[in-house]
């Protein structure tokens, strides 16, 4: 809506030259401005009326009667991948995949809702590949394209309670992939974990203390805190055993952690994440066909991020997101087992820096970004290479470079082009914790590239 402003010349004219002619001139100018304002108001009212009509015809009956919100996300991708082994052998392919996500949000009342996401992620022309048993593990089933089966990606309820709903408890299959900053490359809203340290599916619960639940001394800093815990593997004898569902000889794999945001003023923030996992799994030898519990894992991450740089320097910087993340990991082998190729505990670290900016084709709707990741020899992220078809940028041991552009064709229809380059210094970046995660492998992928283009409908 246009604001009604009287120019300085109009005001000066009213007082400096109180003649009939000058007054009439200024009155005419004022009437012209009033007329423009009325026309602008009329257009805004008509636009709002049309929006209201669409809402009450389509959304309101659903919200009022069933409290059900439904969304669909269909992405068709073409990836050209190329990998060169340390031995010199080269591999390449072009892969077409289709990913469908159906989202339902059920909200019977303001402080209780359930979110359900089911997904099919398939490679065109196939219905299961040669490594299906591993691709469809519970931690990565939806993130590795394979067959046309629908699987549960997320299914959890969120219950808000306390003064002004300042706390939240949730349980189920939790949202745990595409955390910040991995979400930026996909054009999605972030999930709760920091993707640098945790980017895999899991079943568990969380307890969130929002800023309003913090001590008064911390509320001015935007502080909030979240506890998460879950189970990664449940050994049991199964239904048709002599003792149904009793514990087998294997170890239970549990994990827990927390996210602490000590400072967040809406533009600049500091995020941290700490996780501990017990009895993480891996292959004892490179020829093993089943995984075993090998030991424990500890991980920590701290990230500084900006949602806008400076204050009014330029529209471009105001709409730019920038981040720098540092992560640390350590293994604790048990019972003489080897983790990452060693019976000794090994420490690793990684840095991830980047920026997400307005696109140059349309600065209002398009996004583009760049990032760089460096990982040490024994760095181990809790991810299994879901974010590209050639591996995980968060897990790289060596260096990785990434650039993308997301263009809105029309509302709800986007096109994206992304290029990712890996220069591995060591092997085992995307493997489990055992022999396949050994960084001193005799042969491994030395360099890899993935050029991806997709078109996506999302509503």
């Amino acid at each position: 809506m246009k604001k009604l402003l009287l120019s300085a010349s109009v005001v000066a004219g009213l007082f400096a030259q109180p003649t009939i002619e000058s007054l009439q001139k200024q009155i005419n100018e004022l009437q012209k401005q009033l007329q423009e304002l009325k026309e602008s108001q009329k257009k805004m009212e008509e636009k709002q009326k049309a929006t209201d009509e669409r809402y009450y015809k389509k959304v309101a009956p659903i919200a009022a009667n069933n409290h059900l919100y439904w969304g669909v996300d269909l992405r068709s991708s073409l990836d050209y991948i190329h990998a060169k082994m340390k031995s010199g052998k080269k591999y390449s392919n072009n892969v077409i995949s289709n990913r469908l996500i159906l989202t339902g949000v059920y909200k019977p009342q303001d402080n209780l809702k359930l979110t359900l996401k089911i997904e099919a992620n398939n490679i065109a022309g196939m219905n299961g590949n040669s490594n299906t048993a591993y691709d469809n593990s519970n931690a990565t089933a939806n993130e590795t394209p394979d067959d046309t089966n629908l699987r549960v990606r997320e299914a959890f309820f969120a219950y808000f309670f306390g003064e002004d709903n300042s706390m939240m408890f949730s349980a189920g299959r939790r949202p745990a992939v595409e955390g910040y900053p991995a979400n930026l490359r996909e054009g999605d809203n972030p999930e709760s974990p920091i993707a640098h340290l945790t980017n895999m599916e899991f079943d568990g619960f969380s307890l969130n203390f929002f800023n309003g639940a913090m001590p008064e001394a911390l509320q001015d800093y935007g502080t909030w805190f979240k506890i998460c815990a879950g189970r990664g593997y449940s050994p049991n004898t199964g239904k048709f055993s002599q003792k149904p569902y009793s514990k087998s000889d294997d170890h239970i794999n549990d994990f827990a952690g927390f996210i602490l945001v000590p400072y967040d003023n809406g533009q600049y923030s500091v995020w941290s994440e700490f996780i501990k996992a017990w009895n993480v799994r891996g292959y004892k030898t490179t020829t093993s066909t089943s995984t075993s519990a090998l030991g424990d894992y500890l991980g920590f991450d701290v990230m500084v991020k900006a949602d806008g740089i400076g204050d009014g320097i330029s529209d471009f910087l105001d709409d730019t997101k920038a981040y720098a993340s540092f992560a640390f990991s350590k293994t604790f082998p048990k019972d003489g087992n080897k983790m990452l190729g060693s019976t000794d505990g090994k420490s690793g670290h990684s840095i991830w820096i980047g920026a997400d900016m307005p696109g140059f084709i349309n600065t209002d709707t398009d996004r583009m970004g760049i990032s760089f990741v460096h990982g040490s020899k024994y760095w181990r992220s809790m991810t299994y290479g879901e974010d590209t078809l050639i591996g995980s940028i968060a897990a790289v041991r060596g260096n990785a470079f990434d650039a993308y552009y997301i263009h809105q064709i029309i509302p709800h229809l986007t096109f994206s082009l992304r290029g990712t380059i890996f220069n591995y210094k060591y092997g085992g970046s995307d493997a489990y914790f055992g022999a396949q995660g050994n960084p001193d492998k005799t042969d491994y992928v030395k360099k890899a590239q993935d050029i991806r283009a997709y078109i996506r409908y999302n509503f």
Side-chain angles (χ1 to χ4, degrees), residues 11 17 28-29 88 100 106 126 155 160 184 245 251 287 295 304 334 352 357 384 388 393 413 416 434 457:
V11 177
Q17 300 180 19
N28 292 340
E29 182 68 24
L100 172 68
Y106 305 82
M126 314 184 53
F160 298 85
L184 299 174
Y245 301 114
H251 295 280
T287 58
V304 178
K334 290 181 179 179
W352 187 354
M357 302 156 283
Y384 295 102
T388 78
I393 191 172
L413 187 66
S416 176
Y457 173 88

Side-chain angles (χ1 to χ4, degrees), residues 134 281-292 294 337-341 431-438 441:
Y134 308 115
R281 307 184 67 78
Y283 299 98
K284 289 190 174 182
T285 67
T286 56
T287 58
S288 299
T289 57
S290 61
T291 60
S292 303
L294 304 175
N337 290 312
K338 289 184 177 181
M339 294 181 68
L340 308 182
Y432 288 92
F433 282 92
Q436 291 183 328
N438 185 356
K441 285 182 175 182

Side-chain angles (χ1 to χ4, degrees), residues 333-395:
K334 290 181 179 179
D335 303 325
N337 290 312
K338 289 184 177 181
M339 294 181 68
L340 308 182
S342 175
T343 56
D344 298 325
K346 294 295 183 180
S347 300
H349 66 272
S350 175
I351 60 170
W352 187 354
I353 57 175
D356 176 82
M357 302 156 283
F360 54 85
I361 299 177
N362 189 327
T363 57
D364 292 330
T365 59
D366 295 0
R367 305 298 297 182
M368 60 182 180
I370 55 173
S371 64
F372 166 78
V373 181
H374 169 78
S376 68
K377 181 176 181 178
Y378 288 101
W379 160 243
R380 182 58 168 81
S381 175
M382 290 298 289
T383 180
Y384 295 102
E386 303 90 3
D387 51 66
T388 78
L389 296 191
I390 54 171
S392 169
I393 191 172

Side-chain angles (χ1 to χ4, degrees), residues 63-80:
N65 298 325
N66 300 320
H67 300 274
L68 166 63
Y69 307 84
W70 192 252
V72 61
D73 181 352
L74 175 62
R75 187 186 72 190
S76 296
S77 305
L78 170 63
D79 288 75
Y80 175 75

Side-chain angles (χ1 to χ4, degrees), residues 222-239:
T223 306
W224 60 270
F225 181 70
K226 185 175 186 179
I227 300 171
C228 302
R231 175 152 291 182
Y233 181 74
S234 299
N236 63 80
T237 58
K239 167 65 178 174

Side-chain angles (χ1 to χ4, degrees), residues 300-317:
F300 173 76
D301 184 284
V302 60
M303 177 176 62
V304 178
K305 66 188 189 85
D307 189 0
I309 299 175
D311 184 10
I313 299 174
S314 69
D315 292 341
F316 181 84
L317 291 177

Side-chain angles (χ1 to χ4, degrees), residues 129-434:
N129 58 43
S130 59
N131 291 312
T132 296
Y134 308 115
D135 290 350
N136 291 342
S137 67
N138 200 40
T140 62
N142 292 286
E143 307 312 306
T144 50
D146 186 17
D147 54 36
T148 56
N149 294 337
L150 281 169
R151 298 179 177 84
V152 177
R153 175 186 175 101
E154 296 175 14
F156 67 98
F157 73 86
Y159 167 55
F160 298 85
F161 62 99
E163 186 177 356
D164 297 326
N165 289 335
S166 58
M167 291 179 283
M168 182 269 289
F169 175 80
S170 70
R173 190 154 174 80
R174 297 281 305 138
V177 296
E178 287 191 17
Y180 198 94
N183 66 293
L184 299 174
R185 307 156 71 217
E186 303 300 326
D188 292 328
N189 294 322
E191 302 291 1
S192 59
I194 301 175
H196 196 180
L197 186 63
T198 310
N199 195 36
M200 57 185 285
E201 303 167 46
F202 84 95
D203 301 280
F205 72 87
S206 68
L207 178 61
N208 199 325
F209 299 88
F210 299 111
N211 180 245
M214 292 290 103
E216 188 174 350
L218 297 176
Q219 292 184 11
D220 290 340
Y221 298 97
T223 306
W224 60 270
F225 181 70
K226 185 175 186 179
I227 300 171
C228 302
R231 175 152 291 182
Y233 181 74
S234 299
N236 63 80
T237 58
K239 167 65 178 174
F240 299 103
S241 67
Q242 187 174 0
K243 298 178 180 179
Y245 301 114
S246 9
K247 186 177 178 297
S248 68
D249 294 332
D250 212 340
H251 295 280
I252 294 173
N253 171 214
D254 286 331
F255 55 91
F258 63 82
I259 298 171
L260 171 64
V261 177
Y263 179 79
D264 186 349
N265 69 356
Q267 181 178 8
Y268 301 107
S269 60
V270 178
W271 285 53
S272 63
E273 181 179 351
F274 173 92
I275 59 172
K276 178 70 183 290
W278 295 267
N279 302 314
V280 294
R281 307 184 67 78
Y283 299 98
K284 289 190 174 182
T285 67
T286 56
T287 58
S288 299
T289 57
S290 61
T291 60
S292 303
L294 304 175
D296 301 339
Y297 167 88
L298 178 71
F300 173 76
D301 184 284
V302 60
M303 177 176 62
V304 178
K305 66 188 189 85
D307 189 0
I309 299 175
D311 184 10
I313 299 174
S314 69
D315 292 341
F316 181 84
L317 291 177
D318 285 346
D319 200 16
T320 293
K321 298 176 173 61
Y323 55 89
S325 176
F326 173 82
F328 169 85
S329 66
K330 184 172 177 58
T331 57
F332 300 89
K334 290 181 179 179
D335 303 325
N337 290 312
K338 289 184 177 181
M339 294 181 68
L340 308 182
S342 175
T343 56
D344 298 325
K346 294 295 183 180
S347 300
H349 66 272
S350 175
I351 60 170
W352 187 354
I353 57 175
D356 176 82
M357 302 156 283
F360 54 85
I361 299 177
N362 189 327
T363 57
D364 292 330
T365 59
D366 295 0
R367 305 298 297 182
M368 60 182 180
I370 55 173
S371 64
F372 166 78
V373 181
H374 169 78
S376 68
K377 181 176 181 178
Y378 288 101
W379 160 243
R380 182 58 168 81
S381 175
M382 290 298 289
T383 180
Y384 295 102
E386 303 90 3
D387 51 66
T388 78
L389 296 191
I390 54 171
S392 169
I393 191 172
V396 66
R397 294 169 176 169
N399 299 321
F401 305 87
D402 187 70
Y404 61 88
Y405 193 97
I406 303 173
H407 170 63
Q408 179 180 282
I409 302 171
I410 57 174
H412 310 294
L413 187 66
T414 55
F415 170 82
S416 176
L417 184 65
R418 184 183 77 187
T420 308
I421 299 174
F422 292 87
N423 291 320
Y424 293 102
K425 294 183 67 175
Y426 307 97
S429 291
D430 301 311
Y432 288 92
F433 282 92

